[in-house]
Amino acid sequence: MAGLERAKEDWYPIAIAGSTVDGEQLDTSLLGINITLHGDKDREISVTADGNNLPVQTRYDHVWTTFSENPRPLFDIPEADEAGRVLVPCGVVRVKCSPLRAVENFLDIAHFPFVHTDVLGAEPHTEVEPYDVKIDETIDEVIATKVKFFQPQAAKSAGDGIVTDYVYRVAAPMVSILYKTCPPKPGSQDVITLFVQPLDEETCNVWPWMALYDYENSMADMISFQQMIFVQDRSILENQLPRKLPLDPKMEIPTRADMTSIAYRRWLKRGGAIYGALTEAV
Amino acid sequence: MVTEPVGLSNNLPIKRVMPARVGDTDIAVWRSASGVVSAWLNRCPHRGMRLSHGFVRGESLACLYHGWQYGCDNKCKYIPAHPALEPPTTIQTMAYTVVEKHGVLWVSLDGTPEIPALFEKLQPVRSISFNCSNEDVLSALAETTLTCDDGQVLSASDMQSQNILILDNPQNKPKLAVLFQKSSAANVTAHLLADNSWSIDGLIRISRWCELVRRRAEIKIPDNRRNL
Ligand code: FES
Ligand SMILES: [Fe+2]
Protein backbone atom coordinates (compact mmCIF):
# COMPACT_ATOMS: atom_id res chain seq x y z
CA MET A 1 0.00 0.00 0.00
CA ALA A 2 1.23 3.45 -0.91
CA GLY A 3 3.05 5.15 1.89
CA LEU A 4 2.68 2.32 4.42
CA GLU A 5 6.41 1.64 4.78
CA ARG A 6 7.13 5.32 5.29
CA ALA A 7 4.27 5.60 7.79
CA LYS A 8 5.66 2.69 9.79
CA GLU A 9 8.75 4.74 10.62
CA ASP A 10 6.82 7.18 12.81
CA TRP A 11 5.59 7.07 16.41
CA TYR A 12 1.84 7.23 17.04
CA PRO A 13 -0.26 7.85 20.17
CA ILE A 14 -2.55 5.00 21.15
CA ALA A 15 -3.66 5.82 24.71
CA ILE A 16 -3.40 8.35 27.50
CA ALA A 17 -0.56 7.49 29.87
CA GLY A 18 -1.77 5.88 33.05
CA SER A 19 -5.22 5.14 31.66
CA THR A 20 -4.82 1.37 31.71
CA VAL A 21 -4.81 -0.76 34.83
CA ASP A 22 -2.98 -3.95 35.68
CA GLY A 23 -3.71 -6.83 33.40
CA GLU A 24 -6.00 -4.77 31.23
CA GLN A 25 -5.82 -5.35 27.51
CA LEU A 26 -6.86 -2.79 25.00
CA ASP A 27 -7.25 -3.70 21.34
CA THR A 28 -6.86 -0.98 18.80
CA SER A 29 -5.65 -0.51 15.29
CA LEU A 30 -2.69 1.30 13.78
CA LEU A 31 -2.08 1.74 10.04
CA GLY A 32 -4.69 -0.96 9.46
CA ILE A 33 -2.88 -3.44 11.71
CA ASN A 34 -4.44 -4.81 14.92
CA ILE A 35 -2.38 -4.08 17.99
CA THR A 36 -2.90 -4.69 21.69
CA LEU A 37 -1.85 -2.61 24.62
CA HIS A 38 -1.24 -4.55 27.85
CA GLY A 39 -1.38 -2.93 31.26
CA ASP A 40 1.30 -4.51 33.42
CA LYS A 41 1.85 -5.24 37.11
CA ASP A 42 4.72 -2.84 37.58
CA ARG A 43 2.78 -0.21 35.67
CA GLU A 44 4.95 -0.69 32.65
CA ILE A 45 2.94 -1.21 29.57
CA SER A 46 3.69 -3.18 26.47
CA VAL A 47 2.23 -3.14 23.00
CA THR A 48 2.06 -6.16 20.73
CA ALA A 49 1.16 -6.79 17.12
CA ASP A 50 0.55 -10.43 16.24
CA GLY A 51 2.27 -11.50 19.46
CA ASN A 52 5.43 -9.49 18.84
CA ASN A 53 6.45 -6.60 21.04
CA LEU A 54 6.55 -3.13 19.54
CA PRO A 55 8.68 -0.26 20.83
CA VAL A 56 6.81 1.85 23.41
CA GLN A 57 7.43 5.17 25.09
CA THR A 58 5.41 7.54 27.22
CA ARG A 59 5.66 11.23 26.37
CA TYR A 60 3.34 14.24 26.46
CA ASP A 61 0.90 12.27 28.62
CA HIS A 62 0.38 9.68 25.90
CA VAL A 63 1.59 6.18 25.14
CA TRP A 64 3.38 6.08 21.79
CA THR A 65 4.30 3.12 19.66
CA THR A 66 5.85 2.43 16.26
CA PHE A 67 6.35 -0.52 13.91
CA SER A 68 9.96 0.38 13.23
CA GLU A 69 13.04 -0.98 14.99
CA ASN A 70 14.75 2.18 13.95
CA PRO A 71 12.03 4.85 14.07
CA ARG A 72 12.35 8.53 13.34
CA PRO A 73 12.80 10.27 16.68
CA LEU A 74 9.70 11.55 18.42
CA PHE A 75 9.40 15.33 17.88
CA ASP A 76 10.39 17.76 20.59
CA ILE A 77 8.11 20.22 22.36
CA PRO A 78 10.49 22.08 24.70
CA GLU A 79 7.61 24.09 26.22
CA ALA A 80 6.12 20.87 27.59
CA ASP A 81 8.76 20.87 30.32
CA GLU A 82 8.38 24.52 31.37
CA ALA A 83 7.41 24.98 34.98
CA GLY A 84 3.95 26.36 35.61
CA ARG A 85 2.19 24.85 32.67
CA VAL A 86 -0.92 22.77 33.12
CA LEU A 87 -0.69 19.68 30.94
CA VAL A 88 -4.05 18.58 29.66
CA PRO A 89 -4.62 15.39 27.70
CA CYS A 90 -8.10 15.90 26.22
CA GLY A 91 -9.15 12.32 25.53
CA VAL A 92 -9.87 10.86 22.16
CA VAL A 93 -12.21 11.65 19.29
CA ARG A 94 -12.81 9.03 16.61
CA VAL A 95 -13.17 10.59 13.16
CA LYS A 96 -14.09 8.96 9.87
CA CYS A 97 -11.57 10.77 7.73
CA SER A 98 -7.98 10.46 6.63
CA PRO A 99 -5.54 11.27 9.44
CA LEU A 100 -4.02 13.83 7.07
CA ARG A 101 -7.36 15.63 6.62
CA ALA A 102 -7.56 15.93 10.42
CA VAL A 103 -4.11 17.54 10.57
CA GLU A 104 -4.83 19.88 7.67
CA ASN A 105 -8.03 21.09 9.30
CA PHE A 106 -6.07 21.83 12.46
CA LEU A 107 -3.74 24.07 10.42
CA ASP A 108 -6.64 26.04 8.95
CA ILE A 109 -7.86 29.30 10.43
CA ALA A 110 -10.21 30.47 7.66
CA HIS A 111 -12.95 28.15 8.90
CA PHE A 112 -13.13 29.63 12.40
CA PRO A 113 -16.02 32.08 11.78
CA PHE A 114 -18.09 29.40 10.05
CA VAL A 115 -17.40 26.24 12.03
CA HIS A 116 -16.52 27.64 15.48
CA THR A 117 -18.92 30.56 15.23
CA ASP A 118 -18.70 33.07 18.09
CA VAL A 119 -15.94 31.06 19.77
CA LEU A 120 -12.83 30.98 17.58
CA GLY A 121 -14.22 33.36 14.96
CA ALA A 122 -17.22 35.45 13.94
CA GLU A 123 -18.44 37.23 10.88
CA PRO A 124 -17.68 39.83 9.65
CA HIS A 125 -14.10 39.16 10.86
CA THR A 126 -13.35 36.59 8.16
CA GLU A 127 -10.24 38.03 6.53
CA VAL A 128 -7.02 36.05 6.69
CA GLU A 129 -4.02 38.39 6.57
CA PRO A 130 -0.86 37.24 4.78
CA TYR A 131 1.44 35.15 6.96
CA ASP A 132 4.73 33.29 6.52
CA VAL A 133 5.11 29.61 5.78
CA LYS A 134 8.22 27.61 5.21
CA ILE A 135 9.35 24.04 4.97
CA ASP A 136 12.34 23.87 7.28
CA GLU A 137 14.62 21.34 5.64
CA THR A 138 17.02 21.03 8.57
CA ILE A 139 14.40 19.91 11.07
CA ASP A 140 12.04 18.58 8.37
CA GLU A 141 8.98 20.46 9.59
CA VAL A 142 6.39 22.78 8.10
CA ILE A 143 6.26 26.05 10.02
CA ALA A 144 3.73 28.88 9.70
CA THR A 145 4.40 32.11 11.56
CA LYS A 146 2.79 35.55 11.98
CA VAL A 147 -0.67 34.06 11.64
CA LYS A 148 -3.25 36.44 13.09
CA PHE A 149 -6.97 36.05 13.55
CA PHE A 150 -9.74 37.85 15.39
CA GLN A 151 -11.37 35.62 17.94
CA PRO A 152 -14.44 36.30 20.08
CA GLN A 153 -13.40 33.75 22.74
CA ALA A 154 -9.95 32.40 21.94
CA ALA A 155 -9.64 30.12 24.93
CA LYS A 156 -11.54 29.14 28.01
CA SER A 157 -9.57 31.83 29.81
CA ALA A 158 -10.31 34.64 27.32
CA GLY A 159 -13.04 37.14 28.12
CA ASP A 160 -13.73 39.53 25.23
CA GLY A 161 -12.63 39.20 21.64
CA ILE A 162 -8.93 39.54 20.85
CA VAL A 163 -6.64 39.29 17.86
CA THR A 164 -4.83 36.03 18.45
CA ASP A 165 -1.33 35.29 17.15
CA TYR A 166 -0.52 31.80 16.03
CA VAL A 167 2.51 29.76 15.11
CA TYR A 168 1.95 26.32 13.62
CA ARG A 169 4.38 23.43 13.40
CA VAL A 170 3.82 20.19 11.55
CA ALA A 171 6.35 18.04 13.36
CA ALA A 172 5.42 14.72 11.76
CA PRO A 173 2.88 13.85 9.06
CA MET A 174 0.25 13.19 11.74
CA VAL A 175 1.32 15.63 14.44
CA SER A 176 0.61 19.33 14.53
CA ILE A 177 1.50 21.79 17.25
CA LEU A 178 0.15 25.28 17.59
CA TYR A 179 1.31 28.14 19.76
CA LYS A 180 -1.20 30.89 20.43
CA THR A 181 -1.60 34.07 22.45
CA CYS A 182 -2.16 33.16 26.06
CA PRO A 183 -4.79 35.50 27.51
CA PRO A 184 -3.84 35.28 31.23
CA LYS A 185 -0.06 35.51 30.66
CA PRO A 186 0.86 38.10 28.01
CA GLY A 187 4.18 37.29 26.35
CA SER A 188 3.71 33.56 26.78
CA GLN A 189 2.01 31.17 24.48
CA ASP A 190 -0.42 28.35 25.00
CA VAL A 191 0.57 25.12 23.31
CA ILE A 192 -2.17 23.03 21.75
CA THR A 193 -1.37 19.92 19.81
CA LEU A 194 -3.13 17.40 17.69
CA PHE A 195 -1.70 13.90 17.91
CA VAL A 196 -3.33 11.65 15.35
CA GLN A 197 -3.50 7.87 15.48
CA PRO A 198 -4.16 6.51 11.98
CA LEU A 199 -6.49 3.53 12.44
CA ASP A 200 -6.36 3.12 8.68
CA GLU A 201 -6.17 5.45 5.69
CA GLU A 202 -9.71 6.73 6.17
CA THR A 203 -10.28 6.57 9.92
CA CYS A 204 -8.36 8.11 12.78
CA ASN A 205 -8.32 8.71 16.50
CA VAL A 206 -7.47 12.27 17.38
CA TRP A 207 -5.78 12.92 20.74
CA PRO A 208 -5.68 16.67 21.45
CA TRP A 209 -3.23 17.72 24.15
CA MET A 210 -2.54 21.11 25.70
CA ALA A 211 0.17 22.74 27.77
CA LEU A 212 -1.36 25.93 29.12
CA TYR A 213 -0.92 28.70 31.60
CA ASP A 214 -4.46 28.65 32.87
CA TYR A 215 -4.87 28.86 36.61
CA GLU A 216 -8.54 29.69 36.73
CA ASN A 217 -10.37 27.01 34.88
CA SER A 218 -10.73 23.45 36.05
CA MET A 219 -9.21 20.66 34.04
CA ALA A 220 -12.71 19.43 33.22
CA ASP A 221 -13.68 22.83 31.81
CA MET A 222 -10.57 23.04 29.66
CA ILE A 223 -11.15 19.55 28.32
CA SER A 224 -14.78 20.17 27.53
CA PHE A 225 -13.90 23.44 25.74
CA GLN A 226 -11.39 21.64 23.54
CA GLN A 227 -13.74 18.73 22.93
CA MET A 228 -16.54 21.07 21.88
CA ILE A 229 -14.19 22.65 19.34
CA PHE A 230 -13.13 19.30 18.03
CA VAL A 231 -16.63 17.92 17.72
CA GLN A 232 -17.43 20.93 15.52
CA ASP A 233 -14.41 20.07 13.38
CA ARG A 234 -15.54 16.46 13.15
CA SER A 235 -18.81 17.51 11.49
CA ILE A 236 -16.67 18.99 8.72
CA LEU A 237 -14.06 16.24 8.52
CA GLU A 238 -16.63 13.49 8.09
CA ASN A 239 -18.19 15.35 5.18
CA GLN A 240 -15.20 16.09 3.01
CA LEU A 241 -15.03 14.18 -0.25
CA PRO A 242 -12.93 12.25 -0.96
CA ARG A 243 -12.06 11.03 2.52
CA LYS A 244 -8.37 10.82 1.69
CA LEU A 245 -6.33 13.99 1.31
CA PRO A 246 -5.83 14.85 -2.38
CA LEU A 247 -2.25 15.81 -3.22
CA ASP A 248 -2.81 16.53 -6.90
CA PRO A 249 -3.31 20.31 -7.15
CA LYS A 250 -6.01 19.77 -9.78
CA MET A 251 -8.30 18.19 -7.20
CA GLU A 252 -8.94 21.10 -4.87
CA ILE A 253 -8.45 24.84 -5.38
CA PRO A 254 -6.59 26.72 -2.63
CA THR A 255 -6.31 30.42 -2.03
CA ARG A 256 -3.72 32.58 -0.26
CA ALA A 257 -5.21 31.78 3.13
CA ASP A 258 -4.33 28.13 2.52
CA MET A 259 -0.56 28.58 2.34
CA THR A 260 0.00 26.28 5.30
CA SER A 261 -2.13 23.58 3.73
CA ILE A 262 -0.35 23.97 0.40
CA ALA A 263 3.04 23.61 2.09
CA TYR A 264 1.80 20.66 4.14
CA ARG A 265 0.58 18.82 1.03
CA ARG A 266 3.80 19.56 -0.82
CA TRP A 267 5.90 18.40 2.14
CA LEU A 268 3.92 15.15 2.45
CA LYS A 269 4.31 14.42 -1.24
CA ARG A 270 7.99 15.21 -1.30
CA GLY A 271 8.66 13.02 1.73
CA GLY A 272 6.57 10.13 0.45
CA ALA A 273 4.29 10.48 3.48
CA ILE A 274 1.28 9.50 1.44
CA TYR A 275 -0.48 7.09 3.78
CA GLY A 276 -4.02 8.55 3.86
CA ALA A 277 -3.45 10.61 0.72
CA LEU A 278 -4.65 10.42 -2.85
CA THR A 279 -1.72 11.03 -5.15
CA GLU A 280 -3.66 11.13 -8.41
CA ALA A 281 -6.68 13.17 -9.43
CA VAL A 282 -9.96 11.27 -9.53
CA MET B 1 -27.13 8.25 -18.54
CA VAL B 2 -30.59 8.07 -17.01
CA THR B 3 -32.52 10.93 -15.62
CA GLU B 4 -33.26 10.52 -11.95
CA PRO B 5 -35.92 12.08 -9.78
CA VAL B 6 -34.16 13.59 -6.77
CA GLY B 7 -37.11 14.89 -4.80
CA LEU B 8 -40.45 16.63 -4.85
CA SER B 9 -40.54 20.32 -5.67
CA ASN B 10 -42.37 21.17 -2.50
CA ASN B 11 -39.66 19.50 -0.40
CA LEU B 12 -37.25 22.16 -1.58
CA PRO B 13 -38.57 25.58 -0.58
CA ILE B 14 -36.64 28.71 -1.44
CA LYS B 15 -33.35 29.26 0.40
CA ARG B 16 -32.95 25.56 1.10
CA VAL B 17 -30.40 22.96 0.08
CA MET B 18 -30.68 19.18 0.18
CA PRO B 19 -28.46 16.20 -0.57
CA ALA B 20 -29.40 13.65 -3.20
CA ARG B 21 -27.88 10.79 -5.10
CA VAL B 22 -27.87 10.03 -8.79
CA GLY B 23 -26.42 6.58 -9.24
CA ASP B 24 -23.15 6.70 -7.34
CA THR B 25 -22.86 10.46 -7.49
CA ASP B 26 -23.46 12.56 -4.40
CA ILE B 27 -25.17 15.82 -5.36
CA ALA B 28 -26.47 18.96 -3.66
CA VAL B 29 -29.72 20.50 -4.89
CA TRP B 30 -30.65 24.00 -3.77
CA ARG B 31 -33.13 26.78 -4.50
CA SER B 32 -32.14 30.43 -4.42
CA ALA B 33 -34.17 33.21 -2.84
CA SER B 34 -35.66 34.02 -6.25
CA GLY B 35 -36.51 30.36 -6.90
CA VAL B 36 -33.70 29.20 -9.23
CA VAL B 37 -32.86 25.51 -8.70
CA SER B 38 -29.32 24.16 -9.17
CA ALA B 39 -27.87 20.65 -8.86
CA TRP B 40 -24.14 20.34 -8.20
CA LEU B 41 -21.60 17.69 -7.43
CA ASN B 42 -21.73 17.60 -3.63
CA ARG B 43 -18.15 18.68 -3.21
CA CYS B 44 -16.88 22.19 -2.71
CA PRO B 45 -14.08 23.01 -5.17
CA HIS B 46 -12.04 24.48 -2.31
CA ARG B 47 -11.53 21.63 0.18
CA GLY B 48 -14.14 19.05 -0.79
CA MET B 49 -16.80 19.83 1.83
CA ARG B 50 -20.27 18.53 1.01
CA LEU B 51 -22.14 21.54 -0.34
CA SER B 52 -25.43 20.10 0.92
CA HIS B 53 -24.30 21.18 4.40
CA GLY B 54 -24.06 24.79 3.26
CA PHE B 55 -26.65 27.52 3.48
CA VAL B 56 -28.35 29.71 0.90
CA ARG B 57 -27.64 33.41 1.03
CA GLY B 58 -29.86 35.20 -1.51
CA GLU B 59 -28.79 34.00 -4.94
CA SER B 60 -25.72 32.11 -3.69
CA LEU B 61 -24.98 28.90 -1.86
CA ALA B 62 -22.36 29.34 0.89
CA CYS B 63 -20.18 26.37 1.82
CA LEU B 64 -20.26 25.51 5.51
CA TYR B 65 -16.51 25.08 5.87
CA HIS B 66 -15.00 28.43 4.81
CA GLY B 67 -18.07 30.24 3.54
CA TRP B 68 -17.13 30.41 -0.14
CA GLN B 69 -20.22 31.50 -2.08
CA TYR B 70 -21.27 30.13 -5.43
CA GLY B 71 -23.94 31.75 -7.61
CA CYS B 72 -26.65 30.26 -9.82
CA ASP B 73 -24.16 30.41 -12.73
CA ASN B 74 -22.01 27.92 -10.71
CA LYS B 75 -19.19 30.42 -10.34
CA CYS B 76 -17.51 31.40 -7.11
CA LYS B 77 -18.65 34.90 -6.13
CA TYR B 78 -17.02 35.47 -2.78
CA ILE B 79 -14.19 34.15 -0.64
CA PRO B 80 -14.60 35.44 2.94
CA ALA B 81 -10.89 34.97 3.78
CA HIS B 82 -10.14 37.57 1.09
CA PRO B 83 -13.10 39.97 1.07
CA ALA B 84 -11.51 42.34 -1.46
CA LEU B 85 -10.61 39.62 -3.93
CA GLU B 86 -12.65 39.09 -7.07
CA PRO B 87 -12.59 35.26 -7.29
CA PRO B 88 -11.16 33.91 -10.56
CA THR B 89 -13.98 32.79 -12.84
CA THR B 90 -12.31 29.42 -13.16
CA ILE B 91 -13.44 28.52 -9.65
CA GLN B 92 -16.77 26.87 -10.20
CA THR B 93 -18.85 23.98 -9.02
CA MET B 94 -19.46 20.87 -11.11
CA ALA B 95 -23.04 21.47 -12.27
CA TYR B 96 -25.65 19.06 -13.64
CA THR B 97 -28.84 19.73 -15.52
CA VAL B 98 -31.86 19.95 -13.28
CA VAL B 99 -35.44 20.29 -14.49
CA GLU B 100 -38.53 20.84 -12.41
CA LYS B 101 -41.55 19.13 -13.92
CA HIS B 102 -44.75 17.50 -12.67
CA GLY B 103 -43.85 18.61 -9.18
CA VAL B 104 -40.61 16.62 -9.26
CA LEU B 105 -36.98 17.67 -9.50
CA TRP B 106 -35.17 15.67 -12.18
CA VAL B 107 -31.42 15.55 -12.61
CA SER B 108 -29.33 14.21 -15.44
CA LEU B 109 -25.59 13.82 -15.02
CA ASP B 110 -24.99 14.37 -18.73
CA GLY B 111 -27.23 16.32 -21.02
CA THR B 112 -30.89 17.16 -20.96
CA PRO B 113 -33.03 15.20 -18.56
CA GLU B 114 -35.34 12.74 -20.28
CA ILE B 115 -38.38 12.49 -18.13
CA PRO B 116 -40.20 9.17 -18.55
CA ALA B 117 -43.50 9.81 -20.37
CA LEU B 118 -45.52 8.06 -17.69
CA PHE B 119 -44.80 10.83 -15.22
CA GLU B 120 -46.81 13.28 -17.28
CA LYS B 121 -49.92 11.61 -15.89
CA LEU B 122 -48.78 11.52 -12.28
CA GLN B 123 -48.83 14.07 -9.51
CA PRO B 124 -46.92 14.19 -6.26
CA VAL B 125 -48.72 12.84 -3.19
CA ARG B 126 -46.15 12.87 -0.42
CA SER B 127 -42.66 11.87 0.68
CA ILE B 128 -41.78 9.45 3.46
CA SER B 129 -38.48 8.52 5.13
CA PHE B 130 -37.48 5.06 6.26
CA ASN B 131 -34.86 4.23 8.85
CA CYS B 132 -33.78 1.03 7.21
CA SER B 133 -32.16 -0.26 4.05
CA ASN B 134 -33.57 -0.15 0.54
CA GLU B 135 -33.98 -3.93 0.58
CA ASP B 136 -36.08 -3.78 3.75
CA VAL B 137 -38.37 -1.24 2.10
CA LEU B 138 -38.71 -3.27 -1.08
CA SER B 139 -39.58 -6.47 0.71
CA ALA B 140 -42.12 -4.67 2.92
CA LEU B 141 -43.61 -3.13 -0.23
CA ALA B 142 -43.98 -6.52 -1.85
CA GLU B 143 -45.95 -7.78 1.16
CA THR B 144 -48.27 -4.82 1.53
CA THR B 145 -51.23 -4.36 -0.78
CA LEU B 146 -52.93 -1.19 -1.83
CA THR B 147 -56.50 -1.06 -3.10
CA CYS B 148 -57.62 1.41 -5.76
CA ASP B 149 -60.88 3.37 -5.60
CA ASP B 150 -62.44 0.82 -7.98
CA GLY B 151 -61.48 -2.07 -5.71
CA GLN B 152 -58.57 -3.37 -7.75
CA VAL B 153 -55.51 -4.44 -5.85
CA LEU B 154 -52.18 -2.98 -6.92
CA SER B 155 -48.99 -4.95 -6.96
CA ALA B 156 -45.43 -3.78 -7.13
CA SER B 157 -43.77 -4.78 -10.41
CA ASP B 158 -40.05 -4.70 -11.08
CA MET B 159 -37.99 -1.63 -10.50
CA GLN B 160 -38.08 0.53 -13.63
CA SER B 161 -34.69 1.97 -13.00
CA GLN B 162 -32.53 1.74 -9.95
CA ASN B 163 -34.85 3.94 -7.99
CA ILE B 164 -38.32 4.02 -9.54
CA LEU B 165 -40.96 1.46 -8.63
CA ILE B 166 -44.27 1.44 -10.49
CA LEU B 167 -47.48 0.02 -9.11
CA ASP B 168 -49.79 -1.13 -11.89
CA ASN B 169 -53.34 -2.31 -11.84
CA PRO B 170 -54.08 -5.52 -13.79
CA GLN B 171 -54.43 -3.51 -17.03
CA ASN B 172 -50.82 -2.42 -16.67
CA LYS B 173 -51.81 1.17 -16.15
CA PRO B 174 -49.41 2.93 -13.81
CA LYS B 175 -51.45 4.13 -10.87
CA LEU B 176 -48.69 4.97 -8.46
CA ALA B 177 -44.97 5.52 -8.71
CA VAL B 178 -42.55 5.30 -5.82
CA LEU B 179 -39.31 7.20 -6.33
CA PHE B 180 -36.52 6.17 -4.02
CA GLN B 181 -33.88 8.52 -2.84
CA LYS B 182 -31.20 6.76 -0.90
CA SER B 183 -29.33 8.95 1.54
CA SER B 184 -27.29 6.26 3.31
CA ALA B 185 -27.23 2.51 3.78
CA ALA B 186 -29.65 2.83 6.68
CA ASN B 187 -31.87 5.60 5.43
CA VAL B 188 -34.16 5.86 2.42
CA THR B 189 -36.63 8.50 1.37
CA ALA B 190 -39.48 7.64 -0.98
CA HIS B 191 -41.58 10.08 -2.99
CA LEU B 192 -45.04 8.94 -4.03
CA LEU B 193 -46.76 10.09 -7.22
CA ALA B 194 -50.27 9.02 -8.21
CA ASP B 195 -52.38 9.27 -11.36
CA ASN B 196 -55.62 11.26 -11.37
CA SER B 197 -57.94 8.31 -10.73
CA TRP B 198 -57.60 8.59 -6.96
CA SER B 199 -60.25 10.28 -4.85
CA ILE B 200 -59.36 12.16 -1.70
CA ASP B 201 -60.07 8.97 0.25
CA GLY B 202 -57.83 7.11 -2.14
CA LEU B 203 -54.98 9.54 -1.54
CA ILE B 204 -55.44 9.12 2.20
CA ARG B 205 -55.29 5.35 1.67
CA ILE B 206 -52.01 5.77 -0.20
CA SER B 207 -50.66 7.76 2.70
CA ARG B 208 -51.70 5.11 5.26
CA TRP B 209 -50.40 2.36 3.03
CA CYS B 210 -46.92 3.86 2.90
CA GLU B 211 -46.91 4.30 6.65
CA LEU B 212 -47.81 0.64 7.02
CA VAL B 213 -44.96 -0.21 4.65
CA ARG B 214 -42.67 1.80 6.86
CA ARG B 215 -43.74 0.03 10.04
CA ARG B 216 -43.13 -3.32 8.37
CA ALA B 217 -39.84 -2.27 6.78
CA GLU B 218 -38.38 -0.86 9.94
CA ILE B 219 -38.99 -4.04 11.96
CA LYS B 220 -37.27 -6.13 9.32
CA ILE B 221 -34.09 -6.07 11.28
CA PRO B 222 -31.80 -9.09 11.02
CA ASP B 223 -31.64 -11.28 14.12
CA ASN B 224 -28.16 -10.21 15.11
CA ARG B 225 -29.30 -6.59 15.31
CA ARG B 226 -32.59 -7.24 17.06
CA ASN B 227 -32.81 -6.07 20.61
CA LEU B 228 -34.72 -8.71 22.54
S1 FES C 1 -14.35 23.68 1.53
FE1 FES C 1 -15.96 24.90 0.84
S2 FES C 1 -15.33 26.87 1.35
FE2 FES C 1 -13.65 25.66 1.91
FE1 LIG D 1 -11.54 23.83 13.65
Side-chain angles (χ1 to χ4, degrees), chain A residues 105 126 239-241 253 258 261, chain B residues 45-48 50 65 80:
Chain A
N105 170 71
T126 56
N239 283 294
Q240 278 175 282
L241 297 171
I253 304 170
D258 302 310
S261 138
Chain B
H46 177 219
R47 284 297 180 245
R50 284 200 168 97
Y65 198 177

Side-chain angles (χ1 to χ4, degrees), chain B residues 29 34 51 72 127 132 214 225:
Chain B
V29 189
S34 72
L51 289 164
C72 300
S127 298
C132 56
R214 173 163 63 189
R225 272 165 48 204

Side-chain angles (χ1 to χ4, degrees), chain A residues 74-204:
Chain A
L74 191 67
F75 53 88
D76 195 24
I77 308 178
E79 297 79 5
D81 303 319
E82 283 173 12
R85 283 190 188 262
V86 189
L87 306 180
V88 191
C90 298
V92 64
V93 185
R94 167 77 50 95
V95 191
K96 291 192 220 77
C97 73
S98 153
L100 307 178
R101 286 256 194 215
V103 170
E104 184 177 82
N105 170 71
F106 190 73
L107 302 172
D108 179 81
I109 53 171
H111 73 281
F112 289 170
F114 303 98
V115 180
H116 310 297
T117 312
D118 295 336
V119 182
L120 299 186
E123 290 182 87
H125 307 279
T126 56
E127 183 157 11
V128 176
E129 307 277 354
Y131 54 87
D132 293 341
V133 182
K134 66 171 181 193
I135 296 176
D136 188 319
E137 308 284 355
T138 51
I139 50 170
D140 197 21
E141 290 192 2
V142 180
I143 297 176
T145 51
K146 301 193 190 134
V147 185
K148 286 187 189 339
F149 207 71
F150 175 85
Q151 301 200 322
Q153 191 198 354
K156 189 73 201 159
S157 57
D160 296 327
I162 48 170
V163 173
T164 304
D165 293 298
Y166 289 90
V167 169
Y168 285 95
R169 284 174 57 194
V170 182
M174 298 179 197
V175 171
S176 180
I177 303 158
L178 93 81
Y179 300 83
K180 67 190 277 190
T181 309
C182 169
K185 198 165 186 286
S188 294
Q189 289 183 307
D190 280 342
V191 178
I192 301 177
T193 69
L194 204 69
F195 303 146
V196 182
Q197 172 190 1
L199 296 164
D200 57 40
E201 287 199 279
E202 301 190 2
T203 327
C204 57

Side-chain angles (χ1 to χ4, degrees), chain B residues 44 46-49 63 65-68:
Chain B
C44 178
H46 177 219
R47 284 297 180 245
M49 179 65 192
C63 176
Y65 198 177
H66 309 94
W68 290 23

Side-chain angles (χ1 to χ4, degrees), chain B residues 2 71 73 96 115-116 118 135 154 161 163 193 195 201 206 223:
Chain B
V2 282
D73 59 358
Y96 304 115
I115 298 160
L118 91 108
E135 292 69 43
L154 296 185
S161 78
N163 58 358
L193 289 89
D195 76 351
D201 279 351
I206 292 174
D223 281 341

